């Protein structure tokens, strides 16, 4: 069964450093998403991406965040200057059509120290 | 906000018993999805029910949707120890982003 692949599974970074979280969505999917889950809290929407541009973003997705689809397969989330409160599990997801056939990756656990 | 909210927050049952959890939301939706998450792991999609459906089955899972009450329920029948996890409902409206509830933590005792 097709999977959404995320790397790395766990990343530890120092406060103020830049991190790039990587995702390989399912190949025929057109919609891509990033979500975040702070430990013990809800899964929160960060951003959706369609047709090579951001279609929607939440208030969490401020100027320190950016997304990119640098080639036909990867979808990345960059955090420019990490803060302690960025520590969370970050999930990538993709869907064939908007809202249906959502598939989540297994997540990247980001720890900012 | 159209976030789903699950009830109860936590549920402890004996193996073989049924587990029922509920989800309420606030605005109109396209569909409602249920996910499972084992501790510290990824989100596993369980079932999706569209706004024009009232009930759906998948294996030991039964989901109902009442759009007039803006609520859904997830029933796990004949629970097993492996069902121990957190269960989340997620609603999808016109903008395709999912809004998750806080989840129900289910513990199945052997």
């Amino acid at each position: 069964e097709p999977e959404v692949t995320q790397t790395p599974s766990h990343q530890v970074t120092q406060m103020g450093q830049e991190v790039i979280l990587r995702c390989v969505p399912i190949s025929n999917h057109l919609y891509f998403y990033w979500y975040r889950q702070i430990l013990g809290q809800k899964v929160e929407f960060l951003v959706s991406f369609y047709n090579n541009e951001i279609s929607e973003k939440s208030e969490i997705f401020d100027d320190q965040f950016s997304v990119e689809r640098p080639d036909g397969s990867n979808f990345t989330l960059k955090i420019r200057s990490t803060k302690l409160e960025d520590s969370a599990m970050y999930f990538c997801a993709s869907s064939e059509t908007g809202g249906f056939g959502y598939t989540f990756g297994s997540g990247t656990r980001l720890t900012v120290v | 906000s159209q976030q789903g909210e699950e009830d109860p927050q936590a549920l402890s049952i004996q193996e073989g018993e049924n587990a029922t959890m509920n989800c309420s939301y606030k605005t109109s939706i396209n569909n409602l999805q249920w996910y499972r998450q084992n501790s510290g792991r990824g989100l596993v999609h369980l079932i999706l029910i569209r706004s024009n459906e009232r009930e759906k089955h998948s294996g030991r899972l039964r989901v109902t949707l009442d759009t007039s009450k803006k609520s859904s329920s997830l029933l796990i029948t004949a629970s097993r120890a492996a069902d121990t996890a957190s269960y989340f409902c997620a609603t999808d409206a016109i903008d395709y982003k999912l809004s998750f509830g806080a989840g129900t933590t289910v513990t199945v005792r052997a």
Side-chain angles (χ1 to χ4, degrees), chain B residues 51-82:
Chain B
S51 59
N52 61 354
E53 296 176 313
R54 292 296 167 257
E55 187 170 314
K56 203 160 182 181
H57 296 256
S58 176
R60 293 184 296 113
L61 305 179
R62 173 178 169 253
V63 168
T64 63
L65 179 65
D66 186 337
T67 52
S68 67
K69 294 181 179 177
K70 292 187 170 59
S71 67
S72 173
S73 68
L74 171 67
L75 167 69
I76 306 172
T77 60
S79 62
R80 305 167 182 169

